[in-house]
Amino acid sequence: MQAELLRDLLNEVRAGTRTVESALDRLRDLPFENLGYARLDHHRALRTGFPEVVFCEGKRVEQIVEILGRLAQKHKLILATRASREVFDAVTEHIPAANYFESARIIQIGANGVEPTSTTVLVVCAGTADVPVADEAAVTAAALGSRVEKLYDVGVAGVHRLLAARERLNAANVIVVVAGMDGVLPTIVGGLVAAPVIAVPTSIGYGTGLGGLSALMTMLNACAPGIAVVNIDNGFGAGYLGHLINIRGVADKSEP
């Protein structure tokens, strides 16, 4: 449950427009709702500022539909990641307002209702094959409220493409860098900018890439400072972290 909804509920009780018993019924599902196969964490938005995000892989379609329906009753914005077109089609039968970002495989229900940040999360990816993971990061950060820009297909095999975008790199408040194969791109970017860099290894590459493990190890061994690394193909985690860093940077700059 979002903080403003809880505040409204308490104000209604104080004003006498809602009974204590009615408020108790409304609060009964806090801090979680047990569906038998899942325990929905309705309290998460109060703790972290954003509701629970649904990871769709491994769940049955009917489970995803019910989970999203229950969450949508209590939150203005819901995200579901790794969602197939089949899942989205089933969700829209019950929640017609749901939106689908096919490349990112993300379902978004509702919006946060805030203006995007003045500062930017720049999502950079090495090659076109890395775009789905990069888009997952971009959609996530944008949904949470960050202004997001993209710089795609600037891998190190043609590093002049990256260097031609130096102004965009330097203007970003946070940079998410997505790369597979050799995984070198975050190190190059980290050596060019003052902004924090979030590196995302992808599972793109031939056999010795070991499903992204080689890129992960390269990124963990980066010699450039200011680089943090998330798990293989974890565009969602990178976008979420990028947004958190971005909004804290805005808060810091606004202080006298």
Side-chain angles (χ1 to χ4, degrees):
M1 182 179 290
Q2 293 183 352
E4 60 267 26
L5 297 180
L6 181 57
R7 188 178 295 109
D8 289 344
L9 181 64
L10 294 174
N11 284 332
E12 289 173 4
V13 173
R14 181 172 63 180
T17 58
R18 181 186 289 271
T19 66
V20 173
E21 289 74 17
S22 173
L24 286 174
D25 287 338
R26 181 80 165 135
L27 293 170
R28 198 174 303 280
D29 291 334
L30 288 177
F32 63 88
E33 180 180 3
N34 189 356
L35 301 182
Y37 58 85
R39 296 171 187 259
L40 307 187
D41 185 3
H42 294 307
H43 226 176
R44 188 169 304 184
L46 287 173
R47 301 193 313 270
T48 68
F50 195 78
E52 183 174 13
V53 175
V54 180
F55 181 77
C56 295
E57 285 184 355
K59 295 182 177 69
R60 298 201 305 269
V61 173
E62 61 270 22
Q63 292 176 335
I64 298 169
V65 170
E66 182 176 16
I67 289 170
L68 291 179
R70 297 296 184 95
L71 290 172
Q73 292 175 7
K74 294 180 169 64
H75 303 286
K76 294 180 179 178
L77 172 62
I78 300 297
L79 292 181
T81 64
R82 299 300 175 91
S84 65
R85 170 63 68 171
E86 176 192 7
V87 168
F88 173 67
D89 290 341
V91 169
T92 53
E93 291 182 7
H94 299 269
I95 310 174
N99 293 314
Y100 187 50
F101 299 87
E102 190 160 12
S103 175
R105 293 182 292 172
I106 287 179
I107 296 172
Q108 179 175 336
I109 301 169
N112 59 21
V114 300
E115 289 294 323
T117 57
S118 58
T119 53
T120 301
V121 176
L122 177 64
V123 180
V124 179
C125 86
T128 305
D130 301 308
V131 166
V133 177
D135 276 354
E136 186 179 49
V139 170
T140 298
L144 269 61
S146 280
R147 182 158 63 94
V148 175
E149 294 183 3
K150 301 177 183 179
L151 179 62
Y152 286 4
D153 197 24
V154 290
V156 297
V159 73
H160 55 291
R161 300 173 298 182
L162 178 70
L163 296 177
R166 287 288 296 275
E167 288 187 6
R168 294 185 64 191
L169 292 169
N170 288 326
N173 197 39
V174 186
I175 303 177
V176 175
V177 183
V178 181
M181 302 291 281
D182 53 29
V184 173
L185 186 59
T187 302
I188 302 296
V189 173
L192 293 173
V193 301
V197 173
I198 302 169
V200 190
T202 71
S203 52
I204 300 302
Y206 291 102
T208 54
L210 303 175
L213 185 59
S214 292
L216 172 64
M217 296 303 292
T218 297
M219 293 176 185
L220 289 172
N221 284 287
C223 60
I227 299 175
V229 186
V230 299
N231 205 352
I232 298 169
D233 292 334
N234 189 10
F236 165 75
Y240 199 113
L241 178 59
H243 170 73
L244 292 180
I245 295 172
N246 188 37
I247 60 174
R248 278 154 178 76
V250 172
D252 290 344
K253 291 175 182 178
S254 66
E255 292 179 356

